[in-house]
Amino acid sequence: MIRIGVLALQGAVQEHVIATRRAFDSLGIKGEVTRVKLPRNLEHVDALIIPGGESTVIGRLAERSGLLERIRERATDQNLAIMGTCAGMVLLAKEVDERHVGEVSQPLLRLMDISVTRNAFGRQKESFETFLEIPVIGPEPFRAVFIRAPAVKRILSNKVEVLAKLGEVPVAVRQENMLALSFHPELTDDLRLHKYFIEMTTGV
Ligand code: GLN
């Protein structure tokens, strides 16, 4: 039995809960999806999804309860698998800036060796959909929904593997058992990235 927690402080929580349950069903794996709001909710999960939303809000709430520190500890000491989507990518990054204001200061996990720009695609392109080539999940392009999305500006170590790019910009990256996506896989019916994450968690 695999337990995946969805960080449930703010943002697109329910959509990830549903997509992850469907991904378990489709893989024929027995799994449970729980909501993580407090540090103690983290104790029984094998993996964590950090949803999209507002990274400043999610980061501050998680810091206040001690959850941010606990996630960081579990990821470094016990290899907790993490998938961060959109704001979740921001929270996983070692360094963050913002397209319009430049330098920003906000609580981060700093677990992945990436430097991320928030709202990287600018005002004209606040939200858009596009098809991405993501070879690790198969040849068929993935319909990706971007909403005030971040992007990877710089890769800071050779532990980071780029799984997909939009033009020249990395929008899906993996570092060991952590996955950061600029877009929202929970908003489409394509379960391939949730399945990929579950397989990462189980070491398939
Ligand atoms: N722009 C938001 C941030 O920087 C992310 C948007 C999203 O998660 N859809 O936190």
Side-chain angles (χ1 to χ4, degrees):
M1 157 79 93
I2 304 164
R3 280 217 180 88
I4 296 192
V6 179
L7 187 64
L9 300 175
Q10 190 260 340
V13 175
Q14 178 68 4
E15 292 84 348
H16 268 300
V17 171
I18 293 168
T20 310
R21 285 195 181 128
R22 289 181 51 213
F24 274 131
D25 286 349
S26 144
L27 286 168
I29 292 179
K30 218 168 145 36
E32 197 176 276
V33 187
T34 59
R35 285 176 172 70
V36 173
K37 294 188 177 176
L38 293 167
R40 64 178 142 86
N41 305 140
L42 201 65
E43 299 316 311
H44 305 289
V45 305
D46 306 297
L48 181 70
I49 294 175
I50 306 179
E54 198 47 56
S55 60
T56 48
V57 175
I58 299 174
R60 280 191 201 118
L61 291 171
E63 186 174 55
R64 202 178 300 161
S65 67
L67 187 52
L68 205 65
E69 188 51 35
R70 193 65 198 122
I71 296 170
R72 203 180 286 125
E73 282 169 7
R74 280 222 47 202
T76 38
D77 304 345
Q78 294 162 23
N79 236 13
L80 178 74
I82 305 179
M83 171 164 80
T85 63
C86 205
M89 168 190 263
V90 174
L91 287 160
L92 282 168
K94 198 144 273 177
E95 299 174 1
V96 172
D97 62 16
E98 205 272 345
R99 180 185 159 104
H100 307 289
V101 302
E103 221 171 281
V104 285
S105 155
Q106 62 183 96
L108 298 173
L109 287 165
R110 300 187 197 275
L111 287 166
M112 288 183 77
D113 297 337
I114 50 174
S115 176
V116 162
T117 300
R118 292 176 52 198
N119 305 314
F121 298 94
R123 295 195 207 283
Q124 264 103 59
K125 274 185 132 188
E126 280 215 326
S127 299
F128 59 97
E129 287 184 20
T130 189
F131 283 90
L132 295 175
E133 306 281 342
I134 312 180
V136 291
I137 57 166
E140 201 183 306
F142 188 91
R143 183 158 73 92
V145 179
F146 289 76
I147 305 170
R148 289 177 291 108
V152 177
K153 181 165 97 174
R154 230 155 26 94
I155 289 176
L156 307 173
S157 90
N158 58 9
K159 290 187 210 153
V160 179
E161 186 189 347
V162 176
L163 304 184
K165 284 184 179 181
L166 182 55
E168 283 311 301
V169 183
V171 290
V173 290
R174 175 175 176 174
Q175 178 175 338
E176 290 151 357
N177 60 356
M178 287 179 285
L179 190 62
L181 312 173
S182 297
F183 48 93
H184 288 263
E186 77 286 6
L187 297 183
T188 56
D189 285 334
D190 193 332
L191 297 172
R192 284 179 294 163
L193 282 167
H194 284 83
K195 286 160 95 174
Y196 178 73
F197 179 60
I198 291 171
E199 285 171 346
M200 251 169 77
T201 306
T202 54
V204 171

